Amino acid sequence: MNTQDIALFLEVARSGSFAEAARRRGLDPSAVSRAVAGLEMRLGLRLFERTTRRLSLTEAGETCLARMAPLVEELEAVAAAARDSTTRPSGHLRLSASVSFGQRVIVPRLAAFRAAFPSITVEGLFSDANVDLVAERIDLAIRLAPAVSGDLIVSRLMTTRYKVVASPAYLAGAPRLAAPADLAGHRVLRFPFAGYRDRWLFRDRAGAIAEQPVGGDLVLAPALALLEAARGGLGPALLPDWLVDDDLAGGRLVHCLTEWQATATDFDTAAWLVYPSRAYLPAKTRAMIDFLRAELQG
C-alpha cells in the first residue's frame, strides 16, 4: 500500500471532508478522492459511508484509522529524524496563536526568525478559537491561560500579568481612579469573555483579594481592539503586559492602580508552548521553540 494514500485517508478521517483534507494538503479534491478509492480497492473494504450530506467512517474504517495512524506517524517521524540529522532545520511550520499575541508578539519577530532559519517556511494561523492541534496539523501553538490541559506537551514560555491602563487624555478628564472601588465611576472597556466583562479581581500588597464589579457600554474583541479603544481615550481597560508595555513606555497609556495586582480570572497566568504528544520533536519545531524562548525570556 502507498503510504501517501494512507496519509490522505487519515487526513480525510480527521477533517471529515474530502474538500477540507485537500485544502490542508494543497491538493485537488478529486486527487484525494481517487487516493482513498484506490486504498479501499486494495484493501477490499469500504472505509467511508458517503452521502450528499455527510461523510462518516465505517466500522472497518474506524479500525483502520486506529491501527494505521500510529504507523504513519512513526514513519513520518523516522523520515524527519533522518533529515534533521544531516541538514539544517527546514520544512513547513504551522504555528497557532491568538489574534492579538500573533500580531503583537510573533509577527514582529518573524524577520529575525527567517534570517536565522531561511529553510523553514512559517504559516501563522492566528485565531482566538481553541484549535485542535492534531486535526489542523499544527506543529506548535502558543496559548494564554493559567494552565493548559489535555493530551499535549506543554511548557511555560513566559509569565504574563494584567494591568489596568488608560490614556493620559482620558485620565485628565475622568473621575478619580486611585483605588479599585473607583472603577464604579468609570465606563470600563470590556472583553467578551466570562469574568472579563462584569468584574475584575485585585490583590493588594498584603495578599488580600477583592472583587470589583465593572460596567461600560463597549465590549470589544480581540484584545487589539480594546488596546486601540484605550489609546483613543474611551476608558480604562484590563490588558496583558505583553500587549501594553510598549505603549506604557511610550507614554501613550498610563498604568493605573499600581498598588494592586489585577486580573479577571487568575493571578498566575502565562503564555504556554503547546505541541502534539510525539516521541520525536521535529527540528523545525525545536528551532521555533528555542527562538521564542530566547526572544521572550531574555
Side-chain angles (χ1 to χ4, degrees):
M1 287 181 288
N2 187 319
T3 55
Q4 182 61 32
D5 290 350
I6 297 174
L8 289 175
F9 155 66
L10 298 177
E11 194 75 76
V12 173
R14 287 165 175 159
S15 66
S17 163
F18 282 93
E20 178 61 18
R23 183 190 67 79
R24 293 179 182 179
R25 293 280 179 158
L27 299 172
D28 188 272
S30 62
V32 177
S33 181
R34 285 195 301 272
V36 173
L39 181 62
E40 288 179 320
M41 184 174 64
R42 285 189 291 276
L43 290 171
L45 299 167
R46 180 183 291 275
L47 299 173
F48 293 101
E49 294 290 354
R50 304 168 175 83
T51 69
T52 56
R53 298 179 64 87
R54 66 191 298 264
L55 181 74
S56 59
L57 284 165
T58 62
E59 184 177 352
E62 294 277 6
T63 301
C64 288
L65 175 65
R67 299 292 294 274
M68 289 179 172
L71 297 176
V72 171
E73 289 174 0
E74 183 63 23
L75 286 172
E76 291 175 344
V78 169
R83 287 193 302 269
D84 292 346
S85 67
T86 58
T87 62
R88 294 191 65 193
S90 63
H92 188 67
L93 179 76
R94 287 170 62 85
L95 174 67
S96 172
S98 71
V99 173
S100 298
F101 193 89
Q103 292 186 22
R104 190 63 177 242
V105 179
I106 301 297
V107 172
R109 291 171 168 82
L110 289 181
F113 182 81
R114 184 165 60 180
F117 301 99
S119 297
I120 299 177
T121 60
V122 177
E123 184 176 355
L125 306 171
F126 303 143
S127 169
D128 290 330
N130 205 11
V131 178
D132 185 325
L133 272 59
V134 175
E136 294 294 330
R137 300 182 65 82
I138 301 297
D139 297 294
L140 178 65
I142 294 93
R143 290 187 175 165
L144 305 166
V148 178
S149 60
D151 186 20
L152 301 165
I153 304 300
V154 179
S155 63
R156 187 184 292 258
L157 173 60
M158 64 180 190
T159 298
T160 60
R161 293 288 181 264
Y162 282 82
K163 298 176 179 179
V164 177
V165 298
S167 72
Y170 172 82
L171 293 171
R176 181 174 182 266
L177 185 52
D182 293 336
L183 286 167
H186 293 258
R187 290 191 293 180
V188 165
L189 301 172
R190 299 181 293 155
F191 199 57
F193 283 3
Y196 286 81
R197 63 186 302 157
D198 54 11
R199 61 102 180 96
W200 296 346
L201 302 176
F202 292 89
R203 182 165 63 190
D204 65 19
R205 294 182 183 277
I209 296 174
E211 183 176 294
Q212 176 59 46
V214 294
D217 57 349
L218 290 177
V219 180
L220 303 172
L224 283 169
L226 275 178
L227 174 66
E228 194 62 32
R231 283 175 178 165
L234 297 180
L238 180 65
L239 291 168
D241 50 5
W242 52 263
L243 188 58
V244 300
D245 278 353
D246 285 349
D247 286 291
L248 293 174
R252 294 177 294 276
L253 290 173
V254 175
H255 184 189
C256 308
L257 307 177
T258 56
E259 295 297 308
W260 292 265
Q261 289 183 313
T263 188
T265 56
D266 195 299
F267 289 99
D268 183 18
T269 59
W272 302 91
L273 295 163
V274 184
Y275 47 94
S277 179
R278 295 174 182 158
Y280 169 74
L281 182 65
K284 62 183 180 181
T285 307
R286 171 55 61 192
M288 179 59 83
I289 289 173
D290 291 344
F291 172 81
L292 289 176
R293 283 196 168 127
E295 285 282 310
L296 301 177
Q297 294 179 358

